[in-house]
Amino acid sequence: MTKATMVPLLEDLFQYDDPVLILNTSCNIESISNKAAQILNLDEEIGKPLPMDDLSQSRWNSFIKRIRQEKFSFSSFNIKGKDSAYKEIKVFGMFLKKNNLVFLKILNEDSDNKFQLYRKHFLNDLPYGLLFFKDEMINEINSRAIELLDIDLGNISNLSFDSFLSKYFDYGYKKLQFLSELKAFGHATLEVKRLNRQNEERYLTMNCKYFYYLDMIVVSIVDHTETVKLKQKVKELEHFSEIGKISANITHELKNAVTSLKGFMELLKFNTTEEGKKYIKIIESEMQRMETILSEILYLAKPTKFIKEKVSMLHVIEEVIEIMQPQAYKNHVVIQLKADEECDSMITGNVNHLKQMFINLVKNAIEVMENGGTITIELKNICNKVQVLIKDEGTGIPEENLNKLFTPFFTTKDEGTGLGLSLVKKVVDEHHGKISVESIVDVGSTFILEFPGYTENYTKYYYDENQMKKLLASRTANSVPLV
């Protein structure tokens, strides 16, 4: 056998003993394997045209145009052997532009099964789904498509292209419009939103292409869920940003009005009856509550100056427990703290913000335990991270509400503002921490907070640009190897 030089990309697909031909674009033989010569009943005559009938010659010209555009393709030819008899062969071809050569592999007999095995493994390794429809019925499908579409394998053999499309179109005319576009242009795209088995939303893009020379429709499926959700998140953040700007302006004006009203209420105290003073006390209490709500809205809506320092999480929690103890006692709630003596609870943070965050969490825990109970606060140190667990014995949180807890203005309380947990989330984010919730209805909930542990010199240099430059310069100088 005379064998042309093969590029590494083709060595795994075209082995020495495979039925392989290497031709130039004029259909002259550059190389032919012994197996191919045996199947075609040809002598190994290099440089001569591959003998074929007129119909096959026409197919060859079309085949060359296709593989120049698409790099690979399938076709069939009638080849004339040395005994003047014609033999039909099916081939898989690849075009090597650099050498202007065509590699053909004959797919007849046992080589067809071997190639199908290669193709099966290749298709299942692809990161996107693929379906092949031949004569309007499914011909092949890879494992990724089965996963993305959640197709029932028991009925897959009866899946027609029409029934496949019917699953994703609400109205018949839309399907007809899609099919019309596919036939007219050879390709059409369908965007699909569906729920998987875990009841999670998935966003899929289906690209359908019709290969007229094979009379085959190929559907590729790409999962764009992460991209779509990221865009939704960006849009949501932009929306909240605009609301934040408006809220900050309105809140500022309302706080000014409340301050003025408080001044007038002080004056009214001196010119009213004892009964009037009782009403003034109620008004002042409500105004104080209003001012608290406005402060929370302003904190959430407007960036604040954030001064960090070395903070003992243990001391912060102890102070919060002391502050909340009267309210807990009034509601028949016991607050207990569990912390290992050797637990390093130091973090880099803002004491006031952390206090407000824990006050909100403990206050919520007290409110959900109408019949009293125990709030357990655990402090742990795991891999240089400080973890705080706040457990209550309340009513629990339904699963459908868990993902909404930290959304501004979401609340299940009759008189709640829905700002408390949003404030908690903001403080956690400011401290580069994480927060999660575990809950069982009628058993209780656990809020799990995790913060990076304190690192020496980190605070001093991280927030001082000049000091940071000096630190980096000194580290760079000290890291230069000696020669």
Side-chain angles (χ1 to χ4, degrees):
M1 167 188 171
T2 304
K3 188 177 180 181
T5 302
M6 290 191 185
V7 295
L9 179 65
L10 303 173
E11 287 179 352
D12 290 337
L13 189 59
F14 299 109
Q15 302 297 328
Y16 183 82
D17 59 345
D18 282 339
V20 176
L21 299 91
I22 304 175
L23 312 173
N24 60 27
T25 53
S26 300
C27 203
N28 294 328
I29 300 173
E30 297 285 338
S31 174
I32 183 170
S33 69
N34 293 329
K35 189 68 176 288
Q38 181 183 349
I39 291 173
L40 300 176
N41 193 21
L42 292 175
D43 292 326
E44 300 176 13
E45 299 181 8
I46 307 304
K48 291 186 177 181
L50 182 66
M52 58 178 68
D53 59 18
D54 292 340
L55 177 61
S56 297
Q57 187 62 56
S58 177
R59 285 181 186 169
W60 173 263
N61 295 332
S62 300
F63 177 71
I64 289 297
K65 289 179 182 178
R66 288 200 306 272
I67 63 172
R68 283 185 186 276
Q69 294 176 348
E70 301 178 12
K71 309 304 179 189
F72 66 90
S73 188
F74 298 86
S75 192
S76 62
F77 305 107
N78 295 315
I79 307 300
K80 184 179 180 181
K82 56 187 177 184
D83 58 356
S84 298
Y86 282 91
K87 181 179 180 67
E88 183 182 12
I89 60 168
K90 296 177 183 177
V91 298
F92 168 79
M94 295 184 71
F95 181 63
L96 188 61
K97 184 177 180 181
K98 183 177 179 181
N99 303 87
N100 205 34
L101 293 175
V102 179
F103 291 80
L104 292 185
K105 182 169 183 176
I106 300 172
L107 301 180
N108 297 50
E109 300 172 357
D110 61 330
S111 64
D112 188 19
N113 295 330
K114 188 177 178 182
F115 180 76
Q116 293 297 335
L117 185 62
Y118 279 135
R119 188 176 71 169
K120 196 77 175 176
H121 285 301
F122 172 73
L123 292 179
N124 285 332
D125 285 340
L126 291 173
Y128 49 85
L130 277 178
L131 297 94
F132 298 83
F133 290 91
K134 178 77 173 174
D135 299 325
E136 295 294 321
M137 297 300 295
I138 192 164
N139 180 268
E140 192 163 357
I141 183 171
N142 71 348
S143 55
R144 181 62 173 155
I146 293 170
E147 177 190 345
L148 290 174
L149 299 176
D150 194 18
I151 292 177
D152 183 5
L153 294 175
N155 299 321
I156 199 168
S157 59
N158 299 321
L159 183 64
S160 67
F161 185 61
D162 184 70
S163 62
F164 169 74
L165 290 181
S166 296
K167 293 175 65 176
Y168 306 108
F169 287 96
D170 298 331
Y171 304 101
Y173 78 89
K174 285 187 177 180
K175 187 173 74 174
L176 291 174
Q177 188 179 15
F178 179 85
L179 288 170
S180 175
E181 184 180 339
L182 181 63
K183 293 291 184 182
F185 304 105
H187 59 83
T189 301
L190 173 63
E191 302 291 339
V192 175
K193 175 184 174 183
R194 64 185 303 275
L195 295 176
N196 62 12
R197 290 186 178 182
Q198 290 74 40
N199 212 32
E200 299 168 332
E201 287 185 347
R202 311 304 297 177
Y203 296 87
L204 310 176
T205 299
M206 297 187 188
N207 291 303
C208 300
K209 187 170 183 181
Y210 176 61
F211 293 86
Y212 67 93
Y213 45 87
L214 291 174
D215 191 26
M216 179 179 285
I217 297 171
V218 179
V219 182
S220 65
I221 307 164
V222 181
D223 187 352
H224 286 140
T225 303
E226 295 305 319
T227 304
V228 171
K229 286 187 175 180
L230 183 60
K231 287 180 179 178
Q232 289 176 344
K233 191 69 177 176
V234 170
K235 192 173 181 179
E236 185 180 309
L237 289 173
E238 289 174 350
H239 177 65
F240 277 125
S241 176
E242 290 302 314
I243 292 176
K245 291 175 185 177
I246 297 169
S247 299
N249 291 330
I250 295 172
T251 302
H252 182 71
E253 294 301 322
L254 287 174
K255 285 195 77 174
N256 288 340
V258 170
T259 303
S260 299
L261 289 172
K262 285 173 73 175
F264 285 114
M265 293 306 298
E266 288 294 326
L267 293 174
L268 282 173
K269 284 181 184 178
F270 300 104
N271 299 296
T272 188
T273 63
E274 287 301 316
E275 188 176 356
K277 286 180 180 180
K278 282 197 301 185
Y279 294 132
I280 288 174
K281 193 173 181 181
I282 295 171
I283 294 170
E284 284 182 327
S285 174
E286 290 302 301
M287 286 174 63
Q288 183 61 47
R289 193 166 73 90
M290 186 189 301
E291 199 167 35
T292 301
I293 294 170
L294 291 172
S295 296
E296 288 180 350
I297 293 174
L298 196 60
Y299 175 72
L300 288 169
K302 194 175 180 181
T304 54
K305 289 184 179 180
F306 193 66
I307 301 169
K308 288 190 176 181
E309 55 194 340
K310 186 177 180 181
V311 178
S312 168
M313 192 70 85
L314 178 60
H315 292 164
V316 170
I317 293 171
E318 286 174 339
E319 287 184 31
V320 169
I321 292 174
E322 190 175 343
I323 292 168
M324 298 303 297
Q325 204 66 261
Q327 186 177 342
Y329 179 77
K330 183 181 175 183
N331 289 273
H332 311 289
V333 172
V334 176
I335 305 175
Q336 63 178 10
L337 173 61
K338 292 183 180 179
D340 297 331
E341 291 183 4
E342 298 179 358
C343 177
D344 181 6
S345 66
M346 305 305 293
I347 71 165
T348 305
N350 183 288
V351 172
N352 291 329
H353 290 186
L354 290 169
K355 276 185 187 178
Q356 188 60 51
M357 176 188 72
F358 285 119
I359 286 171
N360 279 358
L361 289 172
V362 173
K363 182 173 176 286
N364 280 354
I366 293 171
E367 289 175 353
V368 296
M369 293 193 292
E370 295 178 358
N371 300 319
T374 301
I375 297 173
T376 304
I377 303 176
E378 289 187 47
L379 193 59
K380 300 179 181 179
N381 190 265
I382 303 172
C383 301
N384 198 35
K385 291 185 178 181
V386 177
Q387 191 178 77
V388 183
L389 291 84
I390 302 176
K391 303 178 183 179
D392 65 55
E393 297 173 350
T395 54
I397 304 165
E399 188 176 349
E400 62 269 19
N401 290 341
L402 284 175
N403 293 331
K404 306 173 188 175
L405 285 181
F406 304 105
T407 304
F409 307 111
F410 172 78
T411 182
T412 56
K413 302 174 187 176
D414 293 336
E415 297 181 2
T417 62
L419 296 174
L421 288 179
S422 299
L423 184 145
V424 168
K425 182 66 168 63
K426 182 170 182 179
V427 174
V428 171
D429 291 342
E430 285 175 343
H431 289 78
H432 307 290
K434 296 178 183 177
I435 185 168
S436 59
V437 186
E438 295 175 357
S439 186
I440 301 174
V441 175
D442 297 328
V443 175
S445 305
T446 302
F447 283 77
I448 304 164
L449 298 89
E450 191 174 87
F451 302 93
Y454 175 81
T455 303
E456 195 68 35
N457 293 328
Y458 173 81
T459 309
K460 185 167 70 174
Y461 291 109
Y462 186 80
Y463 294 97
D464 189 323
E465 189 176 349
N466 294 326
Q467 290 279 22
M468 189 65 171
K469 288 178 180 177
K470 288 179 184 178
L471 176 65
L472 291 174
S474 64
R475 285 183 177 174
T476 306
N478 291 335
S479 63
V480 176
L482 296 175
V483 292

